[in-house]
C-alpha cells in the first residue's frame, strides 16, 4: 500500500483528528520551543489535520505550508481552518515542492520515519531552509522506545527505526547542525495501576511507563548553517 492509500483511509475514517488528540500532549511542548517570529514561513512535514500550523499562526507566523502525501488529509486539514495564510500541499517528503532557502522553520510530528529515503528527506529539508532556519523533528517510533517497535506490524509502509545517535548522525550528514535532542514525556496519558496489566497494548505497567513517561517523543533539532 502507498502512503496515499494508507493515509487517505486514515483521513476518511477520522483518524486524523484522533492523531491530533494523542500527539498534542507532546507536540505542544515541541511547538512551544520553536523560535518562531512574526512573519516567518513554516512548513509542517506530514501535516495530518494541520493542527501544528493552526497553533503556530496564533504565535504570529506569516505563512504556513502543510505538506502531506495523502490528498484526503490535506482536504480535511483545509476544512478545519479558514485561515488563508495556511496552505495545504500534496507532495512527498523526498521531493519538496518548495524553493531553495525559502523557509524559516520546519516542524514534523510522527511522520519523518515514513519517508521512503530519510536521507533524501533531510537533504530536501536542508535545501529549503534559509540559513539559520530550524528543523524540529519529533517522532515516537525510535530504537530506544522499545514498545513502539511493534507498530511496524500494523502498517504496510516501511518505517525507519533509528536510534537517537542515528538521528544526530543523519542530520549532520545532510549538513544540519544538531542544536538539541531530547525525549519529551507524555504526562497526560493515564497509566493504570499494575493490576490492570496486561492490557491490549502493554504486557506490563513498566512497559507503558517506558513508552510514555521515559521516552514519549524524541525531538531532534537541526539548524541550517
Ligand atoms: C502519523 S501521521 C501524523 C500527522 C500529524 N503530523 C500529527 O501529528 O497528527 C503521518 C502523516 O505523514 C504523511 N506522510 C507519511 N509519509 C509521507 C511521505 N513520504 N510524504 C508525504 N507525506 C507523508 C501521512 O499521510 C500522514 O498524514
Amino acid at each position: 500500500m502507498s502512503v496515499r492509500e494508507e493515509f487517505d483511509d486514515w483521513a476518511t475514517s477520522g483518524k486524523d483528528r484522533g492523531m491530533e488528540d494523542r500527539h498534542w500532549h507532546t507536540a505542544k511542548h515541541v511547538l512551544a520551543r520553536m523560535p518562531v517570529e512574526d512573519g516567518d514561513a513554516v512548513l509542517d512535514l506530514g501535516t495530518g489535520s494541520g493542527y501544528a500550523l493552526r497553533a503556530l499562526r496564533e504565535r504570529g507566523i506569516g505563512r504556513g505550508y502543510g505538506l502531506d502525501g495523502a490528498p484526503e488529509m490535506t482536504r480535511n486539514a483545509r476544512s478545519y481552518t479558514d485561515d488563508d495564510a495556511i496552505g495545504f500541499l500534496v507532495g512527498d517528503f523526498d521531493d519538496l515542492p518548495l524553493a531553495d532557502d525559502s523557509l524559516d522553520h520546519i516542524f514534523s510530528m510522527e511522520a519523518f520515519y515514513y519517508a521512503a529515503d530519510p536521507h533524501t528527506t533531510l537533504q530536501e529539508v536542508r535545501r529549503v531552509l534559509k540559513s539559520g532556519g530550524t528543523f524540529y523533528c519529533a517522532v515516537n517510533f525510535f530504537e530506544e522506545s522499545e514498545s513502539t517497535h511493534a507498530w511496524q506490524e500494523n502498517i504496510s509502509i516501511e518505517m525507519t527505526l533509528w536510534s537517537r545517535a542515528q538521528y544526530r548522525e543523519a542530520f549532520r550528514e545532510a549538513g544540519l547542525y544538531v542544536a538539541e535532542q531530547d525525549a519529551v514525556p507524555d504526562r497526560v496519558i493515564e497509566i493504570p495501576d499494575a493490576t490492570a496489566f496486561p492490557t491490549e497494548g502493554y504486557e506490563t505497567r513498566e512497559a507503558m511507563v517506558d513508552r510514555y513517561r521515559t521516552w514519549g517523543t524524541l525531538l531532534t533539532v537541526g539548524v541550517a548553517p
Side-chain angles (χ1 to χ4, degrees):
M1 218 187 244
S2 65
V3 164
R4 181 185 183 134
E5 287 166 331
E6 178 82 44
F7 290 104
D8 268 351
D9 202 39
W10 287 31
T12 48
S13 62
K15 277 198 193 177
D16 57 336
R17 284 295 211 180
M19 288 191 292
E20 173 176 339
D21 289 345
R22 283 196 311 282
H23 297 163
W24 182 248
H25 304 172
T26 52
K28 66 184 174 189
H29 297 295
V30 173
L31 291 165
R33 293 184 191 194
M34 289 180 72
V36 294
E37 294 183 357
D38 282 359
D40 278 353
V42 180
L43 168 68
D44 180 11
L45 210 55
T47 195
S49 73
Y51 67 85
L53 295 174
R54 282 183 263 123
L56 288 173
R57 274 286 287 160
E58 288 181 13
R59 291 195 35 216
I61 68 164
R63 184 81 196 150
Y65 302 95
L67 181 127
D68 206 286
E72 292 300 327
M73 283 286 181
T74 60
R75 192 196 311 266
N76 282 2
R78 176 76 271 159
S79 74
Y80 302 146
T81 178
D82 56 9
D83 184 346
D84 291 335
I86 303 176
F88 293 99
L89 309 165
V90 178
D92 192 86
F93 294 166
D94 291 350
D95 185 16
L96 299 180
L98 292 156
D100 296 2
D101 305 322
S102 59
L103 297 170
D104 297 289
H105 304 285
I106 302 178
F107 169 83
S108 183
M109 175 72 191
E110 274 294 87
F112 176 80
Y113 50 73
Y114 291 117
D117 181 352
H119 296 285
T120 300
T121 301
L122 287 171
Q123 283 162 13
E124 281 291 89
V125 162
R126 170 71 191 89
R127 178 182 68 76
V128 299
L129 277 177
K130 295 177 189 172
S131 175
T134 68
F135 178 34
Y136 277 66
C137 179
V139 293
N140 294 347
F141 177 77
F142 56 101
E143 184 65 42
E144 287 82 0
S145 186
E146 286 180 16
S147 58
T148 66
H149 297 184
W151 296 353
Q152 177 66 84
E153 292 160 23
N154 301 323
I155 192 156
S156 58
I157 301 158
E158 196 175 330
M159 298 156 75
T160 294
L161 185 65
W162 279 349
S163 65
R164 289 178 296 171
Q166 283 175 301
Y167 269 92
R168 295 195 303 273
E169 197 180 314
F171 272 47
R172 289 182 184 126
E173 265 173 32
L176 297 165
Y177 294 125
V178 177
E180 183 188 2
Q181 191 174 53
D182 198 6
V184 181
D186 181 334
R187 301 197 186 284
V188 177
I189 205 96
E190 279 185 36
I191 301 183
D193 62 38
T195 56
F197 293 85
T199 63
E200 206 176 304
Y202 299 92
E203 276 297 308
T204 62
R205 187 172 194 280
E206 288 69 30
M208 194 168 177
V209 168
D210 195 61
R211 157 73 182 92
Y212 289 105
R213 306 288 198 261
T214 307
W215 294 118
T217 293
L218 176 68
L219 169 65
T220 308
V221 180
V223 180

